[in-house]
Each structure stands twice: as C-alpha cells, then as structure tokens.
Amino acid sequence: MNKTVLTFALTFLSLASFSQTLKFGKFEESELSLSEVPFEPDAPAVILATQGSSKFGSGLLETSNFVRIKILAEAGKEYADVRVRYYSGDSNTESINRVKAQTTNFVDGKEEVTKVSGDGIFTVDLADGYKEMRITFPNVQVGSIIEYQYSKFDKNLTFIDGWTFQNEIPTLYSKYEINIPESLDYRSIGQGENFSTNVEKTDEYGNYGWILRDLRSVKEEPYMKNYRDYVDRIEFQLARYKTNSTTSGIGWEDVLNTWEVLGDEVISIYSQNGYYRSNPIEKEFLDVDLSGATEAETAEKAYYYVRDNFKIVGEDWIYPEQNLNQLLKSKVGSPLEVMLTLMGVLKSVGIACEPVLIGSKGYGRSNLVPFPFLNQFDEVLLLAVLDGKPQFIDLSLSDAPFGYVDLDKHVKGGLYLAEKESKLIPIEIQHNSNTVYYSQVAINEEGELVMKSSHRNYMYRGLNLSHRIESIQKNQESLETLFKKNAAVVYEDFKVENELQEKDHLTLSFQMKYPESHNKDMLLFNPIKFSNFSENPFTQEYRIFPVDFGYAFSETYNTMISVPEGYEVDDYPLEESIAIPGGYVQFIYSSKLLGNNLNISGRLVVNNPLIPASEYPNLKYFMESVASKLAEPVVLKKKSDPIPSI
C-alpha cells in the first residue's frame, strides 16, 4: 500500500517552535508512586504521558514526539521494545531523527538512569516503502519508567496524520498541539467517544491543542475487529493555501475542497493509467461471449469471466500500481486494478458502471464526514445499473458468487466517482445471511439415540462455512472438527451441498449417535445442539467499543423428537421470550408436546448489528439468558411397568 503525496507550491512564513512541556527524568510524585491503574488494575504497563507538537517550516511538517511509560508487571516488559512505523518511499517522504531514550529505575529511593546506546536504536526496512524505527530499552524492571522522544519529518503537507490519543495500554495523559500559519487553511477531523465528549481544547493565535486523560487501553473484545474506527484520534487535510501573484496579488488556492474536485483528482489517476480507455478492453474481450438475456445476466457472466481469468494479489487500495495494458498482459493485479478492468468490460457492453470510493471497516472511519477528506477512503466498489436497478459489485472475494461484497465494505456511504459530478451516496447492500438448524431425534434399531441434523446457511454465513470446510478438507481432516469434541457423541454421514452460486445457500447434513444411550432408563440430551450463541461470548465486566455483529441475521432452530416406544417425556424446556430495549436483539423459544412428538423451536434475531457500548450490560444479560435456555435438556424416561393386580 503506497502513500500518495499531493504536492503544491507554497511559501512558508517564519514560525516560532513549540516548547516541550514534558522533560526527561522530571517526574511527578503521582507517577513515582503509581503501582496500578485505578480504572484498569490488571494493566501490565501504563503510558503516564505522551505528547506531540507539530510545526511547519522549509516545506516540511516537523512533529516532536515524547512518550513516558511505566512498567507495572512482568508482562509489561514487552513495551520496552518500541516500534514506530513510517513511510519513506523513494523520496524520503517521511523520516525520523533526533531519537533519544532512557530507562529510569529507583533503588533505595534513588534514581538510576540508563541511556539507550546507539545499537539500541536502529531502523528496519519493511515492504512497499515503509520503514520502522526501533528502540530496545536496557535494564527494564517492574517499576521502571522508560522515556523516548524523536522528531518525525513529513513532506506530505496535504494530509497530516495528526495524533492517536488511545493506545494498546492505558494512557493517563495525551496531548497534541499544532501551529498552523495564517497562510494555510486546514480542516480537522476528530473521532472517538472520549474525543467528542471529554477533550480539552485550546485555540490561540494559530496554536491549537487537544488533551485527553485517563483513556482505557484498546483491548480485544468479542465481535469487534474494527478498533481503528472508534479510537480517539485527530487528523487534518489541507483545504486551501495563500498565493502571492505579481498580477493578481494575494489570493487563496483551493485544494480538494469539493467532492467534485476530489472525484476528478482520483478519476484523472485512473485515466492516466488507461482504465477509462475502451479499445484495449474491447480488443481483449472480442472473442468472449458475454451476452445475456438481461443486463444482470450479462454482468454476471462478465464477473465470473474476470474473476476466473485474472489473479488478484496484494491489498485493496484506491490507487493502481500498474496500467491497464500491463494488467491485461499479466492477468495479475490488485483488487482495484481488476475491478476497474471489470468496469471497462461492463461499459464496453453498454452497462452503466462507475467506481465508488469507500472507507472500509477498520480503516479508521466509522462514519464519513461531510468534508472531502481523501484519507477517509481506502477501497473501491463498483456501482452498476442493471435492468434499471443499482447493483454494488466487488471482486476482492476471489471465490464469492456475483453480488457478494466483502463484509468490511458494508459501510453507510461512499464517494461515487463521475467526472465533474462526484458525490456522496448511501450504500445499502441487501442480503439474507441467516442460518436454519433442523434436527430429528429418534431411537435407531440398535436402541441408540440418534440426532439427524441439517444446517442451511445463507449467503455470507454460507460463504464463511464453505471457507472453513475447504480448509478442513484441504488438511484431510474430518468435518467433525467443526464441532466441539464430545466423547459421548459419534458424528457420521457428513454431506455438503454448496449451492451458493445457484441458490445463495450451503447445507451441511450429518447425524450424531449417542452409543452410551443404549437401553438406558433415562435419556437426557440437548434438543438445540447447535448455535453460535450456545455459550455467552460476552463475559468481560465492561465494554469499551460497540458490539459489531457485522450484519443483521437470524438463527432459527427446529427439533422434532419422536418419543420412542416404552419411553415418556419426563421434562422439557418451557416457552420464553427475551429482548433488550431498543429492539437490537430478540429471542423466542417454544415447545409443544403432541402425543409421542415433542417439537422444540426457537429463533434468535439480531435486528441491528451495531450495538453501542452503553447497551453492553443489557446485551451481556440477554446472551447469558439465551445460552442458559439453549442448554436446557429434554429428559425421556422409561415407563414403569404397571404393578400386576392380584
């Protein structure tokens, strides 16, 4: 993934530098006495303070960084190996120098300072123009305070990375300040719940500052992988700058200040690389029959032809690295390059199709902002009009059927690219990604309890299951590994029907035998054996980020139990209905006994896949109740022989 730099002519004014308010080895008493973080007592280390100060000069942005960390436990020693990643590229776009670091220990109340020597500070080359500055701190113990500072220089003045306040470990104090000269007009964009509610701001004579305190660590949480969309941070994009012309005098030059201008900038890059040229496409696909009875059929044929004849490698990104002719020759390209090729194919057969820039989940933007920040976007979808209906198309899932879109691209909106008419549009991708579990329970001829099951998984759930099955079969393992090990259960007769491309579902069928149930006086078993929520995934005390299920879905359970001859139902789960305020999720469970047949059914529905952290206590209780209900057994017992009359 390359970092693109947009350049412009600019004369900088003379600026005063920022003074560093945090000093090496100058500690507060509260820092020295701290042994645990009050709001996160299990934290192995804590960032006592971190500060960034940015200033412009000589065509560069210089940011001075200072970090102070205290080690609170043995596990915290890993934070004494520091890594700072930056983009150098071919022209030293970003660089780091003026690095200084030290370890401070306290022995019998006295400070012992160990400075990091030259061999403890070094740079490692990474792929695609990236480098990493690394610091290895010596003599680190529990109770040590480590400090480091460095200056980062950036030639990219259109986009400023800004500052991330929240970190992998708790942060007690985080400050960012920037001096912006009056000749520059930047738009800032902040993110995060703490930033929106608790930030301390300053704004005086072009000096801007933001402070956040007592930030929890960014921890892994169930059903949340897109942490970057919610962490507290701020970044900037240039909107305009002052010019001084001998003819017109002082004026302002706009920079990507409208969606139309931003869209045209991206379109020009695609055009320069040939992706809007029709001749190469028409020549390449001249002998390929893409005709269909409808535009949808034609688009589907084109999709499968491109998917199956071009190899996708590398990361999703909004800029191509090779031109159209190179791609057509190699048949190997990035997701963007192959999708732009598909766009050309569709246009060549008369189908309206344009790219849409999106900020994928996890890239850093949970919601688009109404100002044309290019850094909001990192991936591309295609929007075609098929038989009068809009259709989003994605090729980044190499084995997905036509119409499937990578779940990380299921976002609220994107930038539709059309020359001089680019605009923000909503993105709505309709799909039915549910699961239906059906089981039949009976006694076989050997007197063993048998549960025959069929799991039908639709669309994205089916696609996910197909990936798991493919991996298991590739390793020549049994599909029994899909389920928890249970010595009392034998899985057999697996059958997979993958009809995702034809009917949008995959069905897994099998049966379970309980050999130890033979001729037992009492049979006890779980009628709803399978669910993604048979155990509560939410066990932590509090939640920092929203719960993100990814998409709305339902699980439907239906079990038919034939009570065997000589047995009777001794106990079975009762009906129940559960929900939480706001209608985010709901669960219904029912049971009916009719003669020798017991029918157990249930349905779990996630109506809104994104549940705010404020609702976490309700969700935790809800899921605990669901797991408890799903674990309730059916009990069958042998009928007692009647006492003979005398």
Side-chain angles (χ1 to χ4, degrees):
M1 184 183 295
N2 290 332
K3 186 171 181 178
T4 300
V5 179
L6 301 183
T7 59
F8 55 92
L10 182 64
T11 302
F12 287 102
L13 303 178
S14 174
L15 301 172
S17 63
F18 269 81
S19 61
Q20 188 78 38
T21 57
L22 297 172
K23 302 290 186 181
F24 263 68
K26 302 296 183 181
F27 307 119
E28 299 287 338
E29 180 59 37
S30 58
E31 295 176 320
L32 298 176
S33 61
L34 183 71
S35 58
E36 70 174 32
V37 180
F39 55 86
E40 204 168 319
D42 60 342
V46 59
I47 295 178
L48 299 172
T50 181
Q51 178 173 300
S53 299
S54 296
K55 62 180 180 179
F56 294 89
S58 303
L60 295 170
L61 178 73
E62 178 185 351
T63 301
S64 300
N65 294 265
F66 178 93
V67 181
R68 176 178 293 161
I69 299 174
K70 188 167 188 178
I71 309 302
L72 302 176
E74 283 293 325
K77 290 182 179 180
E78 68 173 282
Y79 297 100
D81 289 321
V82 172
R83 301 186 177 194
V84 179
R85 190 169 180 256
Y86 61 99
Y87 181 74
S88 177
D90 298 326
S91 58
N92 223 22
T93 303
E94 296 177 347
S95 59
I96 287 178
N97 58 27
R98 303 176 187 169
V99 185
K100 180 181 176 182
Q102 68 182 34
T103 304
T104 302
N105 288 306
F106 303 88
V107 180
D108 297 328
K110 295 183 179 180
E111 293 183 9
E112 292 187 356
V113 177
T114 307
K115 296 186 182 298
V116 180
S117 59
D119 57 358
I121 302 172
F122 53 96
T123 300
V124 175
D125 281 316
L126 305 177
D128 300 325
Y130 283 92
K131 292 184 178 181
E132 199 168 66
M133 184 269 288
R134 298 183 180 180
I135 306 174
T136 301
F137 287 85
N139 197 24
V140 175
Q141 306 166 18
V142 174
S144 296
I145 294 179
I146 62 175
E147 300 172 283
Y148 61 95
Q149 67 182 34
Y150 62 92
S151 292
K152 179 183 175 184
F153 296 87
D154 195 343
K155 295 179 181 178
N156 185 350
L157 304 180
T158 305
F159 309 108
I160 299 178
D161 291 338
W163 192 253
T164 299
F165 298 88
Q166 205 166 7
N167 298 281
E168 188 178 348
I169 54 178
T171 302
L172 301 186
Y173 176 88
S174 185
K175 178 181 181 180
Y176 179 67
E177 52 188 0
I178 184 171
N179 182 294
I180 300 178
E182 59 88 22
S183 58
L184 299 177
D185 183 14
Y186 277 90
R187 300 293 177 90
S188 65
I189 173 173
Q191 177 181 280
E193 184 176 351
N194 291 301
F195 187 88
S196 63
T197 58
N198 300 321
V199 71
E200 303 167 31
K201 292 189 282 189
T202 58
D203 175 0
E204 186 177 8
Y205 305 114
N207 297 323
Y208 303 89
W210 299 264
I211 297 174
L212 281 174
R213 306 173 192 268
D214 298 337
L215 302 174
R216 292 186 181 273
S217 60
V218 179
K219 285 185 175 181
E220 183 175 348
E221 296 179 332
Y223 290 93
M224 172 48 68
K225 64 176 183 176
N226 308 313
Y227 302 101
R228 195 165 180 261
D229 292 342
Y230 301 98
V231 296
D232 296 300
R233 64 192 186 97
I234 189 171
E235 61 183 286
F236 306 82
Q237 180 175 301
L238 186 65
R240 59 179 185 163
Y241 60 93
K242 270 187 180 179
T243 61
N244 192 352
S245 170
T246 56
T247 57
S248 58
I250 296 176
W252 287 95
E253 183 75 21
D254 291 330
V255 179
L256 306 181
N257 67 331
T258 69
W259 295 114
E260 294 84 358
V261 171
L262 179 61
D264 286 349
E265 179 75 27
V266 178
I267 290 171
S268 69
I269 295 173
Y270 295 165
S271 297
Q272 290 166 18
N273 284 275
Y275 288 99
Y276 279 80
R277 293 175 57 200
S278 59
N279 290 344
I281 291 288
E282 292 171 355
K283 182 179 178 181
E284 177 72 23
F285 290 83
L286 182 64
D287 298 326
V288 181
D289 181 15
L290 300 178
S291 59
T294 63
E295 288 182 331
E297 289 182 11
T298 299
E300 189 170 341
K301 290 179 70 173
Y303 171 87
Y304 287 120
Y305 182 86
V306 173
R307 188 197 72 175
D308 298 338
N309 288 277
F310 287 76
K311 184 179 180 181
I312 295 178
V313 297
E315 295 179 315
D316 250 338
W317 188 228
I318 63 174
Y319 298 110
E321 294 187 2
Q322 61 179 335
N323 62 42
L324 176 61
N325 288 333
Q326 291 171 322
L327 176 65
L328 294 177
K329 183 178 180 180
S330 67
K331 300 291 193 298
V332 178
S334 67
L336 166 72
E337 293 162 353
V338 177
M339 277 202 287
L340 291 179
T341 301
L342 176 59
M343 176 188 74
V345 174
L346 296 178
K347 285 186 172 183
S348 72
V349 294
I351 293 177
C353 183
E354 302 295 347
V356 179
L357 300 185
I358 60 132
S360 64
K361 292 183 177 181
Y363 178 65
R365 287 285 158 238
S366 52
N367 293 292
L368 293 178
V369 295
F371 180 78
F373 276 90
L374 183 58
N375 273 7
Q376 295 182 91
F377 308 107
D378 71 318
E379 296 184 10
V380 171
L381 288 174
L382 296 180
L383 177 56
V385 179
L386 307 178
D387 307 307
K389 297 180 180 179
Q391 173 72 58
F392 287 100
I393 302 173
D394 180 29
L395 265 167
S396 57
L397 296 171
S398 59
D399 60 345
F402 176 74
Y404 285 48
V405 172
D406 186 346
L407 290 173
D408 285 344
K409 297 184 179 182
H410 286 225
V411 293
K412 295 179 181 178
L415 178 59
Y416 176 79
L417 298 181
E419 191 171 358
K420 296 182 180 179
E421 295 181 354
S422 297
K423 59 183 178 180
L424 284 185
I425 62 169
I427 293 177
E428 295 182 5
I429 301 170
Q430 302 295 330
H431 61 94
N432 172 25
S433 297
N434 304 322
T435 302
V436 178
Y437 300 98
Y438 179 75
S439 298
Q440 290 180 295
V441 180
I443 298 290
N444 64 11
E445 294 179 355
E446 289 75 32
E448 301 168 320
L449 188 71
V450 176
M451 177 181 282
K452 294 182 178 180
S453 295
S454 173
H455 299 179
R456 177 160 289 182
N457 295 269
Y458 290 85
M459 295 197 73
Y460 293 102
R461 281 200 156 196
L463 187 62
N464 178 60
L465 181 57
S466 74
H467 291 159
R468 294 173 62 194
I469 290 173
E470 182 180 352
S471 176
I472 291 170
Q473 292 176 333
K474 185 178 181 180
N475 294 328
Q476 297 182 332
E477 298 174 341
S478 168
L479 292 181
E480 186 176 347
T481 58
L482 287 168
F483 311 107
K484 278 189 174 182
K485 288 186 178 180
N486 188 335
V489 177
V490 175
Y491 291 86
E492 58 187 18
D493 297 339
F494 282 99
K495 181 182 179 182
V496 179
E497 295 178 85
N498 190 337
E499 298 179 286
L500 287 170
Q501 188 164 316
E502 301 83 9
K503 299 180 180 179
D504 282 329
H505 62 68
L506 180 149
T507 304
L508 174 66
S509 303
F510 58 95
Q511 74 172 20
M512 302 165 53
K513 287 198 306 189
Y514 296 77
E516 296 180 4
S517 63
H518 177 69
N519 204 32
K520 289 274 189 178
D521 289 336
M522 187 168 289
L523 301 176
L524 184 149
F525 59 92
N526 187 345
I528 299 181
K529 184 71 177 174
F530 306 99
S531 169
N532 287 305
F533 303 99
S534 56
E535 293 183 3
N536 183 8
F538 306 111
T539 57
Q540 68 269 38
E541 198 172 325
Y542 60 86
R543 180 94 182 186
I544 299 175
F545 300 107
V547 173
D548 189 356
F549 287 104
Y551 52 85
F553 65 89
S554 68
E555 288 188 355
T556 302
Y557 324 100
N558 200 329
T559 300
M560 295 291 297
I561 303 166
S562 297
V563 182
E565 188 176 348
Y567 283 85
E568 62 183 356
V569 177
D570 183 62
D571 194 15
Y572 61 90
L574 300 178
E575 295 186 356
E576 190 165 358
S577 178
I578 317 168
I580 67 173
Y584 295 100
V585 290
Q586 62 185 99
F587 177 73
I588 300 173
Y589 191 103
S590 66
S591 51
K592 293 181 180 179
L593 179 61
L594 297 173
N596 288 331
N597 292 312
L598 175 62
N599 182 24
I600 305 289
S601 62
R603 194 162 189 255
L604 173 69
V605 181
V606 174
N607 294 308
N608 190 333
L610 192 65
I611 302 176
S614 59
E615 286 295 328
Y616 175 71
N618 288 330
L619 180 66
K620 180 182 178 183
Y621 178 78
F622 172 89
M623 284 301 181
E624 188 61 46
S625 301
V626 170
S628 297
K629 194 64 185 180
L630 293 177
E632 290 184 12
V634 167
V635 181
L636 305 180
K637 70 174 183 179
K638 277 190 174 181
K639 295 178 180 179
S640 56
D641 293 329
I643 300 174
S645 57
I646 299 175

